[in-house]
Amino acid sequence: MSDELGGTAQRRGVIALIPEDCTSCMLCVRECPTWCISLDSHTEEVTQEGSRRPTKVAVLDDFRIDYGLCMYCGICIEVCPFDALEWSGDFDYATEDRSGLVQDATTLEQWRQT
Amino acid sequence: MITGSQIIEVAPDSWVQAAKDQHGQGLQALDYLTAVDRGGAVEVLAHLVSPGTGDEAMLRAVLPADAPHLASLVSLFPGADWHERETAEMFGIEFYGRIDTDPLLLRTPSERPPLRRDSPLPERVDTPWPGAEEKQRRRRRLPPGVREEWVDSDE
């Protein structure tokens, strides 16, 4: 939808999430200057083939960005060690309600480019 | 673009003289004047440019964090007026030799200058930090910029 409106490669739109790359490490949540990111996760025990003991793995439950607070600085994208956040060309997410600006993992994943 | 090595370090006593020297060399416009709290010391920065050539220079004076004061540049650069008023109220720096000492942005001069590192941020203390992660860590984590004593005095 962005390309129909003549967007350029340099344009920053929104921030998208690639959930399978996210390790729930909380770095983006802590670094965000406006505190607009929050995430829920739980740990699961996974037994890998060949290992004796099960390892604990953090599993992402939900990831929210409040675009009413976000100032599009991109620090979360830069700080992510696994490139699980990226700029997306989308921008048409206006709502009539402030709470509608909080986007959850489902929407954030829909915005991903890769 | 000014890099760290191009900043001219100026002793606070020769602040006006240093600006005068640059003015004499053609840097006759004050682009901006501001301050940075380094914790323990406050730096005042003045960026001067030459309107014709685009030459530029950054002057820096390091002041003690306790009662910092500096001579005003208004007589040399009238445009320094607003910058000094703003820097004075935001960082608690006294610019002497000024006529107009009214606050620029604050309605009432605050006891603690808002942009100093030791000024509490009540909103940051009251708002739950999404990075707290209380379940997993025994020690309470405080958000960046929020000091332990602000929280304790609040409870």
Side-chain angles (χ1 to χ4, degrees):
Chain A
M1 59 188 96
S2 51
D3 291 326
E4 291 164 25
L5 293 166
T8 65
Q10 285 90 14
R11 191 195 56 231
R12 294 174 169 189
V14 288
I15 291 161
L17 173 74
I18 301 147
E20 64 267 25
D21 289 345
C22 176
T23 63
S24 316
C25 71
M26 302 282 288
L27 280 179
C28 53
V29 177
R30 296 207 181 102
E31 292 299 317
C32 174
T34 64
W35 301 4
C36 75
I37 306 175
S38 59
L39 69 83
D40 301 326
S41 66
H42 67 278
T43 49
E44 276 178 15
E45 293 200 340
V46 179
T47 315
Q48 280 179 326
E49 226 175 294
S51 65
R52 288 183 195 168
R53 279 183 238 157
T55 45
K56 278 189 177 176
V57 178
V59 179
L60 184 70
D61 294 325
D62 199 8
F63 191 103
R64 291 168 299 271
I65 299 181
D66 185 348
Y67 282 98
L69 295 173
C70 177
M71 59 180 187
Y72 308 90
C73 67
I75 289 173
C76 53
I77 296 172
E78 280 191 31
V79 83
C80 179
F82 303 100
D83 293 339
L85 291 167
E86 64 176 11
W87 287 116
S88 164
D90 271 303
F91 53 84
D92 47 352
Y93 55 99
T95 63
E96 293 181 347
D97 188 337
R98 239 175 113 169
S99 60
L101 291 169
V102 181
Q103 304 291 356
D104 61 9
T106 315
T107 315
L108 294 173
E109 188 181 2
Q110 283 167 9
W111 283 340
R112 60 192 277 188
Q113 313 274 293
T114 52
Chain B
M1 177 90 184
I2 295 261
T3 61
S5 58
Q6 290 168 293
I7 295 176
I8 302 166
E9 301 291 345
V10 179
D13 291 342
S14 47
W15 180 246
V16 176
Q17 187 55 48
K20 223 173 248 177
D21 293 346
Q22 296 298 325
H23 192 277
Q25 287 170 32
L27 304 185
Q28 293 175 350
L30 179 92
D31 180 23
Y32 63 86
L33 182 145
T34 189
V36 182
D37 184 356
R38 295 289 183 193
V42 182
E43 295 173 359
V44 177
L45 297 151
H47 187 231
L48 308 175
V49 289
S50 167
T53 63
D55 289 345
E56 57 185 345
M58 180 85 88
L59 305 182
R60 172 162 68 192
V62 181
L63 309 175
D66 184 30
H69 55 87
L70 198 63
S72 170
L73 297 181
V74 169
S75 57
L76 200 59
F77 298 102
D81 187 27
W82 276 36
H83 297 270
E84 286 182 357
R85 274 171 72 187
E86 188 181 2
T87 308
E89 68 186 1
M90 291 295 166
F91 291 90
I93 298 168
E94 188 195 346
F95 289 93
Y96 50 80
R98 293 181 49 84
I99 299 157
D100 187 0
T101 54
D102 287 346
L104 179 67
L105 300 172
L106 300 177
R107 202 161 288 172
T108 51
S110 68
E111 262 176 58
R112 292 172 180 265
L115 292 185
R116 288 288 286 272
R117 283 173 191 266
D118 51 2
S119 300
L121 307 165
E123 291 80 4
R124 287 253 138 158
V125 176
D126 295 342
T127 310
W129 184 39
E133 205 185 30
E134 282 156 37
K135 292 166 234 162
Q136 287 170 33
R137 294 190 187 260
R138 257 175 259 160
R139 250 186 78 220
R140 181 178 48 174
R141 278 188 71 120
L142 286 175
V146 174
R147 297 186 177 190
E148 192 82 46
E149 64 261 28
W150 300 349
V151 181
D152 288 340
S153 63
D154 218 50
E155 287 167 357

